[in-house]
Amino acid sequence: MRNRSKWLLPLCACFVLTVLPAYAQDDRIAGSVPVSKPSENKHDRAQYSPALQDDDRMAGGAIRKPAPPAPKTQETPDERDGIAPETAYDPPPKKEYTGKVEYAALESHGVYTKSQEGALGRDLWRGTKRSLLIEQIPVLPAQSPYPTMQQLTKRLLLSSLDAGLIKNDVKPSPGNDLTTLRLEKLLEMGAYPEALALYTKQADLPYHDRFARTGVLAAFYDRQPALACLETKAAEKRFAEILFWQQASQACSYILSKASGGKTVRPDIPESKILQRIVDKDNYRFKARSPEDFAELTPLEAAILAAENRFDLSGLKTGEIKELPPHVLILLREQPSLPDEQKISLVLESVRRGLMSAQELGAFYQDQATSLFGKSTKTSLADYKKIGGWKRLPYLFRGFTSASKDEERVVVIKHALALADHYGPDSLLPFVPEIVKLDPSSFDSKTIRSVFPVLLQSGINIPNNWAESRFKELADGNTANAKTTLQYAAYQAGKSSTEEWEQGIDFEKNSEPFGQDKLLALKIIYEKLDKDLKLHNYDDLSVYEKELSLTSAVDYVMPSISLIDGLESAEYDKRLGEVILLSAIVLHNVPPEKLNGVLLRDVINGLVTVGLTKEARSLAQEVILGLSSE
């Protein structure tokens, strides 16, 4: 934890000795901030951001309004619809921080410091205007339809940087610094351990309400209530007039008294029926019957429900999991006890959205196999047939990874593919590193066609023998169907160097199966990734590219011209962070089948220009695979 001995020592002396031992078994107290276990943040009564909330606008909340009228006792219809009434804002604190704020130092902190960790470089925001960051980071989408952009967004927010390189066209203002904005967005994304790690980089007293709230919420969401309450006790007096801190202080009195083993304190908590029920009844559970129910919670309510394990998801249908925003999805995924079908659905949905890696899914399978079937790695088809539902996945993964012969692995993969029809291709991603080691001649053509999209989705370097087996018909000069042609395009787009590109797709010959929209997508991708124009069947698109759209859909609204112009300007000047920021914004909620050609061109071109060629290729693959799955 941070070095705050100057002002926390008297508090810790009485606090640690009586309370923290109760949490020692968690092994995650103040001295340790893990970045491995995401938990989900329930921000706002508006189901969109942990940074803005209703009754007590969370840390990321907009500027506080002057003293509100009468306090509210229940939610209004507007709140239930995700609209936060102005009267819900807390008044500004009367006791502002009087110390000097070193904004350059505060804003330069990051969790990722090395490129191997995902750091984007300390010149990340060189030349970018502060006014743009203040305006655009809050609207940065918490969830992208493209896993590549999701990961880039996370790296953007967690990278250490040199804040002195930001162009200060406006002065830094209290509570609106770059680190506070990043923290609020990380909470909205459900990146709770990472947000907590970034928060604890600041060694000094939290200088502002918004900044302090992010740390308290991140700790609660990460299920570290002792740490959250330590931060609360440190800040509560300075922000005593604000409802959030009043509620947090009283809730912590209950949490800490219960952890100490003595008499449980059950204080009155102002203006929150949920928190009052938590305090009054140890067996109280918040039962959600639909995704909309979570939107009715304030960030603090959701955080303490998570820390106290008070969510009851028995009323939530498995099919509704796809509707959950990322911060809710991750929060629920980390619940200690969940119905089996809900658990696997939450995990696989996280993988599908790029919120959980294939390696993490493989570890989940291994843990589940040990929990369900013991430590023995011996498996058999006879035992497999006795297992039902999703539990077959961890059983097959154990059998696949422990098999001593390729013949055994081939059998396992065929059974796993049958499960993928129900659980989705994402469920097979942990199998991929071993699949590509197998000889494709061991599989029939139907199995190869089923496996290949999973190989493409994994981003792994696909061996030539697998590609040759999948695209034999193209090599023979035949006209392939649309799916085969698009998968071939995705395979070529993902190659690490244009030196390896084959002749590519005969665009005119293969355009008829999938139409002009997808043809244009492929041409744009090939133009922007093949900078040296090595494809000798390539036709220049620059003359008519802006006149064409990848889609004729009428339900998509183009981003503002200023955003598109801003992206092109950032690309021209090679402003790395700005290219990622604006690319993520213009691609928000735009699936491949609705992606406009101008945007696709500008985003891929921008990523390549600032040196993110690998990411540009991954994004291109995701777009093409999305088109092939229509």
Side-chain angles (χ1 to χ4, degrees):
M1 186 63 188
R2 289 162 288 184
N3 179 18
R4 294 181 177 169
S5 57
K6 294 182 180 179
W7 51 276
L8 277 185
L9 189 57
L11 172 65
C12 292
C14 60
F15 179 79
V16 175
L17 293 176
T18 59
V19 175
L20 294 188
Y23 292 93
Q25 57 187 1
D26 191 32
D27 197 30
R28 297 190 302 164
I29 54 177
S32 170
V33 182
V35 185
S36 58
K37 180 185 176 185
S39 29
E40 206 18 64
N41 165 15
K42 202 62 277 50
H43 304 353
D44 225 339
R45 288 193 188 284
Q47 188 179 351
Y48 74 106
S49 164
L52 287 175
Q53 82 185 50
D54 304 23
D55 278 7
D56 47 85
R57 301 298 114 187
M58 125 167 201
I63 303 300
R64 305 283 175 204
K65 306 278 182 173
K72 301 184 298 119
T73 57
Q74 60 182 12
E75 293 84 358
T76 65
D78 278 349
E79 288 177 287
R80 289 193 292 274
D81 292 337
I83 301 173
E86 291 187 3
T87 55
Y89 285 84
D90 294 331
K94 295 179 180 178
K95 299 178 182 178
E96 293 288 357
Y97 181 62
T98 57
K100 183 179 179 181
V101 181
E102 297 289 348
Y103 285 107
L106 173 66
E107 295 179 325
S108 295
H109 291 309
V111 176
Y112 299 158
T113 59
K114 301 176 181 178
S115 58
Q116 304 94 302
E117 300 170 332
L120 292 166
R122 294 187 62 80
D123 59 347
L124 179 62
W125 297 115
R126 179 190 296 274
T128 296
K129 294 180 179 179
R130 178 174 294 275
S131 59
L132 181 139
L133 296 176
I134 293 173
E135 177 185 359
Q136 299 298 343
I137 288 180
V139 299
L140 187 64
Q143 178 67 68
S144 171
Y146 306 97
T148 293
M149 292 310 303
Q150 188 74 16
Q151 292 303 313
L152 271 177
T153 298
K154 194 172 180 180
R155 292 170 62 190
L156 183 76
L157 298 171
L158 289 169
S159 291
S160 59
L161 58 124
D162 184 349
L165 299 177
I166 296 173
K167 187 175 182 179
N168 286 319
D169 58 327
V170 297
K171 293 181 179 180
S173 58
N176 215 27
D177 60 85
L178 180 58
T179 295
T180 295
L181 297 177
R182 291 154 68 198
L183 284 166
E184 291 170 354
K185 187 56 61 175
L186 287 166
L187 291 178
E188 190 179 340
M189 295 173 66
Y192 306 125
E194 294 89 342
L196 186 58
L198 178 57
Y199 175 78
T200 56
K201 292 288 183 179
Q202 172 63 18
D204 298 327
L205 178 74
Y207 82 102
H208 195 277
D209 164 48
R210 287 179 65 177
F211 183 82
R213 287 200 204 192
T214 60
V216 169
L217 289 169
F220 271 131
Y221 287 134
D222 200 42
R223 291 174 169 81
Q224 299 193 55
L227 179 55
C229 288
L230 182 64
E231 293 292 317
T232 298
K233 295 300 179 184
E236 62 184 0
K237 290 184 179 180
R238 295 177 49 240
F239 307 122
E241 296 85 1
I242 300 178
L243 180 59
F244 175 93
W245 296 101
Q246 296 168 9
Q247 292 176 336
S249 178
Q250 297 289 28
C252 280
S253 296
Y254 162 75
I255 291 170
L256 298 178
S257 68
K258 189 174 65 169
S260 68
K263 182 179 179 180
T264 300
V265 176
R266 301 185 188 277
D268 292 332
I269 298 184
E271 300 186 42
S272 174
K273 294 179 181 179
I274 297 293
L275 293 179
Q276 194 65 60
R277 289 167 185 162
I278 292 173
V279 167
D280 290 344
K281 301 177 181 179
D282 291 340
N283 62 349
Y284 168 73
R285 297 291 183 274
F286 177 83
K287 187 170 184 177
R289 293 177 174 81
S290 73
E292 289 74 22
D293 289 345
F294 296 102
E296 305 238 354
L297 299 172
T298 68
L300 185 61
E301 288 169 347
I304 294 179
L305 283 168
E308 288 281 297
N309 297 320
R310 300 291 191 94
F311 282 112
D312 178 355
L313 305 183
S314 60
L316 190 66
K317 297 178 182 178
T318 301
E320 294 175 321
I321 287 173
K322 293 183 179 180
E323 302 173 24
L324 296 173
H327 58 278
V328 180
L329 177 69
I330 297 177
L331 186 68
L332 300 183
R333 189 187 76 199
E334 297 304 316
Q335 280 289 109
S337 59
L338 284 174
D340 287 347
E341 285 298 323
Q342 284 187 340
K343 182 69 173 180
I344 191 64
S345 297
L346 288 164
V347 167
L348 293 179
E349 180 64 15
S350 298
V351 175
R352 186 187 70 80
R353 297 193 200 181
L355 303 173
M356 187 176 182
S357 68
Q359 292 76 17
E360 289 173 315
L361 178 58
F364 171 78
Y365 284 162
Q366 294 286 25
D367 290 343
Q368 292 299 309
T370 300
S371 175
L372 294 168
F373 313 116
K375 295 183 178 181
S376 174
T377 58
K378 184 179 180 180
T379 58
S380 69
L381 286 178
D383 288 340
Y384 172 75
K385 293 177 181 178
K386 299 175 184 177
I387 301 169
W390 72 273
K391 296 176 184 178
R392 289 186 166 194
L393 282 169
Y395 188 84
L396 285 176
F397 187 67
R398 166 178 281 186
F400 187 74
T401 55
S402 62
S404 58
K405 298 179 180 179
D406 285 353
E407 294 82 0
E408 296 172 349
R409 294 189 178 90
V410 169
V411 173
V412 170
I413 285 301
K414 291 180 179 178
H415 284 282
L417 284 170
L419 295 180
D421 290 338
H422 178 73
Y423 294 103
D426 307 277
S427 62
L428 299 187
L429 288 175
F431 293 79
V432 168
E434 296 300 320
I435 289 178
V436 294
K437 296 177 183 178
L438 300 174
D439 187 344
S441 64
S442 303
F443 300 94
D444 56 35
S445 59
K446 181 180 178 180
T447 302
I448 291 175
R449 286 197 299 272
S450 298
V451 168
F452 206 80
V454 183
L455 304 187
L456 288 170
Q457 186 177 342
S458 73
I460 200 169
N461 186 23
I462 300 174
N464 289 334
N465 58 344
W466 274 92
E468 291 168 359
S469 297
R470 173 65 184 94
F471 302 120
K472 187 175 185 302
E473 56 191 296
L474 286 175
D476 292 341
N478 299 320
T479 300
N481 62 32
K483 182 165 289 189
T484 297
T485 303
L486 288 168
Q487 285 185 9
Y488 180 73
Y491 165 69
Q492 292 286 10
K495 284 196 171 185
S496 60
S497 169
T498 52
E499 296 290 345
E500 300 177 18
W501 284 36
E502 307 299 334
Q503 175 176 340
I505 297 172
D506 187 332
F507 289 118
E508 302 308 322
K509 182 178 180 180
N510 289 287
S511 64
E512 187 174 348
F514 49 82
Q516 289 297 315
D517 288 346
K518 295 177 182 177
L519 172 63
L520 178 60
L522 298 183
K523 284 189 172 184
I524 290 173
I525 288 170
Y526 267 60
E527 175 191 354
K528 297 307 174 187
L529 292 183
D530 189 39
K531 286 293 186 182
D532 296 327
L533 306 181
K534 293 183 175 62
L535 304 176
H536 47 268
N537 61 353
Y538 164 83
D539 293 319
D540 181 49
L541 287 168
S542 58
V543 176
Y544 62 92
E545 188 177 280
K546 286 194 174 182
E547 275 62 63
L548 290 177
S549 166
L550 247 60
T551 174
S552 57
V554 296
D555 58 346
Y556 170 60
V557 179
M558 278 285 290
S560 67
I561 295 298
S562 62
L563 275 178
I564 297 176
D565 289 346
L567 177 57
E568 292 178 349
S569 173
E571 173 206 330
Y572 181 82
D573 290 333
K574 297 183 179 180
R575 297 192 294 269
L576 172 61
E578 203 169 322
V579 166
I580 298 172
L581 175 67
L582 297 180
S583 294
I585 292 173
V586 300
L587 291 179
H588 180 39
N589 282 340
V590 187
E593 67 273 13
K594 296 181 180 180
L595 185 56
N596 179 276
V598 176
L599 299 186
L600 179 63
R601 178 206 64 188
D602 287 348
V603 170
I604 289 181
N605 207 45
L607 294 176
V608 171
T609 299
V610 297
L612 296 172
T613 305
K614 179 180 178 181
E615 289 78 5
R617 294 186 183 284
S618 296
L619 177 62
Q621 279 190 309
E622 290 164 5
V623 170
I624 298 172
L625 288 174
L627 295 174
S628 70
S629 64
E630 283 188 82

